[in-house]
Amino acid sequence: MRDELYGEILLDHYRYPRHFGALPNPSVRVEGKNPLCGDEFLIDLNMEGEVVREIRFSGRGCAISMASASMMTELVTGKSVPEVKEWIDRFRNFLRDGGAPPEGVDMGDLQALAGVAHLPVRVKCAILAWTTLEEGINQCKNGLSPAALQGPARDSGV
Amino acid sequence: MSLMDTVIKADRAMSKAEKLREDFPILKTTVRGKPLVYLDNAATSQRPSQVLAAYCFFCQSHNANVHRGIHSLGEQATDRYEAARRKVATFIGAPSEKTVVFTRGTTESINLVAYGYARKFLKPGDAVMLTQMEHHANLVPWQIVATTMGASLRFWPMTPEGTLDMSAASDLLQPPVKIVALTHVSNVLGTINPVQEIARRAHAIGAKVLVDGAQAVPHMRVNVADIGCDFYAFSGHKMCGPTGIGALWGREELLEEMDPFMTGGEMIREVWLDHATWNELPYKFEPGTPPIAEAVSMGAAVDYLNHIGMDWIQEHDRQLVTHAMNQLLAEDGVKIFGPQDGRGALVSFNVEGVHPHDLATLLDRDGIAVRAGHHCAQPLMRWLGVPATVRASFYIYNLPEEIDQLLEGIRRAKEVFAYAR
């Protein structure tokens, strides 16, 4: 049976999460929790200067939070800190704006999470990995501007 | 009773529920184009027209502050407020209406005892005994008070099924336990605790007993005198009443000894610049302007439930929960939490491979409202070894067909999640 929210792409990421696991010697390890849901993630980053060289995530969560985390790891691998921050903002706005992609931007697999934007109570599931990553890159001082260091980390919501 | 008698009895009971549905305007609403199937009654119940009308009527005809003015309207408002207190007192078998304190709900009632009683009488080295199945409302206040007073907490052991282990508790229910605080009916497991026996055993060692009755009072005949406890806390909004109103029943001599938890107007007798004396019971514990229309409506909810009959409600709930248990037990991949028999009107469960929140979202798309999460019982979730559960909870207007719809929804969710396999 097909469901408009729980589509093929979302369920594929849920069942076969990409970059799932831990890094042996991460430059940053950060934990994100949503005590309301019982969702918890651990995100490991290996930074090379300003660039996310490797990312792994582990933990447990609902289909939406797992799929979102998995998609995020695919997207940010090889991206610079400013680019990652741009995507974090973009994804927040995407959820806030009812799942409409910004003009001229291909959201890729993330488009599969558009339906979540209409479910306010589930938005926090989709955003958990992203706020955790945000905290991680804020912790990693390499190449970060002072302004970015002051930015909000967890529970910033959408 | 023959099988036929049982069937006829069940039939008659159900047609009454169908009739009761007419009293609840919200049950006619649709969710995402589907008729609402409301199975989240343990969180809050719906309100019948009779209760809504009582609220409206009070506001339109009798609204004034209570226990203050000399004017007629003030007198009418006070009469109705106090009449509601009498109804609530009678409903739970309270020996006297002055032993019933109106609060904002169960949480405030428990806090009133924790701050007003325990903070006055607990001594360093004393212990408070709780269970692992408590709602945060009957756990966190005790953590705070125990820490402040240098007392400790201990927890009644549970059987694997999720009932209190009555024999294993003997070593723990001993001095210096001064307070035992426990739920009457678990909001997650559905377990109905033997509060009468526990009160007896606690009193044998000189401990006081508080019972959290939030999930009991709406569903069963509760008589605080029969239970023999010292405090009993419950809410209006789970028993067809409004939010923002609840009650604490306490033994008169204990309420007399207790300090007020909040202070201000109404709860005083005389005030000087540097000190004050307290009003008589129960006003000592009702500072400020109380939720008057809400209290009056809670009285109307009591009238409504009495009219239906608590025996009928208990039997109706039992039939619904039995139907739900039978269906869920027979369903592949469904794990039920809590005891098989002797449970309140709710079932917590999980479906293999489907996170509780995903299941709740999918059920919502079928118009079915269930609760998914930790149910304000995080320590119990840890004990169960799950991050969250789905909970279906029933009340007077629910029908067996709605449980069948829940099962269909669960099957659809299983299909959705098997799709990518």
Side-chain angles (χ1 to χ4, degrees), chain A residues 2 4 6 15 35 63 122, chain B residues 357-358 361 365 374 417 419:
Chain A
R2 278 172 189 276
E4 54 184 275
Y6 294 96
R15 289 204 171 281
R122 303 305 303 278
Chain B
H357 283 121
D358 294 320
T361 293
R365 295 155 96 74
H374 55 58
F417 272 79
Y419 178 75

Side-chain angles (χ1 to χ4, degrees), chain A residues 65-156:
Chain A
S65 63
M66 290 287 285
S68 182
S70 168
M71 292 172 192
M72 179 188 81
T73 59
E74 280 199 318
L75 188 85
V76 301
T77 302
K79 290 213 163 46
S80 70
V81 166
E83 284 174 319
V84 170
K85 284 182 159 285
E86 192 185 346
W87 269 103
I88 293 170
D89 287 341
R90 193 174 278 160
F91 185 59
R92 270 206 188 104
N93 293 337
F94 169 76
L95 291 177
R96 190 177 50 208
D97 300 340
E103 218 177 302
V105 176
D106 179 6
M107 295 296 284
D109 281 2
L110 288 174
Q111 194 59 47
L113 294 170
V116 179
H118 303 289
L119 301 170
V121 288
R122 303 305 303 278
V123 164
K124 63 182 187 301
C125 306
I127 207 78
L128 176 63
W130 298 73
T131 49
T132 310
L133 173 66
E134 189 174 42
E135 189 177 332
I137 57 174
N138 280 347
Q139 276 177 21
C140 172
K141 295 181 183 175
N142 274 348
L144 280 190
S145 67
L149 277 169
Q150 288 160 9
R154 232 181 274 182
D155 293 336
S156 46

Side-chain angles (χ1 to χ4, degrees), chain B residues 62-88:
Chain B
H62 304 293
N63 183 50
N65 213 326
V66 290
H67 300 298
R68 279 163 177 78
I70 302 295
H71 59 76
S72 303
L73 210 55
E75 205 172 293
Q76 290 168 21
T78 303
D79 282 351
R80 275 154 184 83
Y81 181 68
E82 291 306 322
R85 191 193 309 276
R86 280 193 295 279
K87 287 174 187 179
V88 171

Side-chain angles (χ1 to χ4, degrees), chain B residues 5-73:
Chain B
D5 285 345
T6 312
V7 170
I8 290 169
K9 198 176 162 211
D11 219 38
R12 200 182 302 134
M14 289 314 157
S15 59
K16 182 167 173 175
E18 267 164 354
K19 224 163 136 192
L20 288 178
R21 292 179 72 84
E22 299 296 316
D23 294 337
F24 293 83
I26 203 166
L27 298 178
K28 294 188 179 68
T29 60
T30 55
V31 174
R32 299 172 188 276
K34 311 265 174 64
L36 169 67
V37 175
Y38 188 75
L39 303 178
D40 194 18
N41 294 285
T44 196
S45 66
Q46 298 302 344
R47 288 155 221 172
S49 304
Q50 292 86 334
V51 170
L52 299 171
Y55 188 96
C56 244
F57 182 67
F58 177 83
C59 295
Q60 288 172 348
S61 313
H62 304 293
N63 183 50
N65 213 326
V66 290
H67 300 298
R68 279 163 177 78
I70 302 295
H71 59 76
S72 303
L73 210 55

Side-chain angles (χ1 to χ4, degrees), chain B residues 85-279:
Chain B
R85 191 193 309 276
R86 280 193 295 279
K87 287 174 187 179
V88 171
T90 309
F91 191 58
I92 57 159
S96 136
E97 66 205 58
K98 65 179 177 182
T99 56
V100 173
V101 179
F102 278 129
T103 63
R104 276 184 297 158
T106 309
T107 299
E108 187 179 307
S109 297
I110 295 168
N111 274 275
L112 204 168
V113 177
Y115 285 84
Y117 182 82
R119 253 170 76 125
K120 186 168 182 185
F121 295 108
L122 274 186
K123 294 190 173 54
D126 283 348
V128 177
M129 190 152 170
L130 308 166
T131 80
Q132 292 177 75
M133 64 174 86
E134 295 313 312
H135 188 284
H136 296 160
N138 198 26
L139 171 62
V140 181
W142 301 111
Q143 293 174 346
I144 305 277
V145 169
T147 306
T148 312
M149 305 307 290
S152 63
L153 300 180
R154 54 178 73 179
F155 293 88
W156 201 292
M158 280 207 284
T159 65
E161 213 194 5
T163 58
L164 295 181
D165 190 328
M166 295 304 282
S167 51
S170 301
D171 294 342
L172 287 166
L173 185 57
Q174 293 294 342
V177 171
K178 292 290 164 58
I179 295 171
V180 176
L182 82 162
T183 188
H184 196 163
V185 177
S186 161
N187 70 318
V188 176
L189 302 168
T191 313
I192 302 173
N193 288 320
V195 286
Q196 198 170 5
E197 185 188 341
I198 288 168
R200 189 178 51 74
R201 286 173 61 174
H203 286 160
I205 61 151
K208 302 289 184 255
V209 178
L210 174 139
V211 177
D212 168 356
Q215 303 292 348
V217 173
H219 299 279
M220 58 176 74
R221 213 174 262 289
V222 167
N223 186 302
V224 292
D226 288 350
I227 293 169
C229 56
D230 301 287
F231 300 102
Y232 198 97
F234 57 107
S235 297
H237 72 96
K238 295 187 205 288
M239 50 183 277
C240 295
T243 52
I245 187 76
L248 172 73
W249 171 79
R251 280 187 196 278
E252 190 174 337
E253 62 275 20
L254 298 180
L255 293 175
E256 290 286 4
E257 289 172 2
M258 274 165 67
D259 282 339
F261 161 45
M262 275 195 285
T263 53
E266 173 67 19
M267 53 74 63
I268 46 78
R269 187 188 307 272
E270 287 185 287
V271 180
W272 290 267
L273 283 178
D274 58 351
H275 71 285
T277 58
W278 312 142
N279 201 342

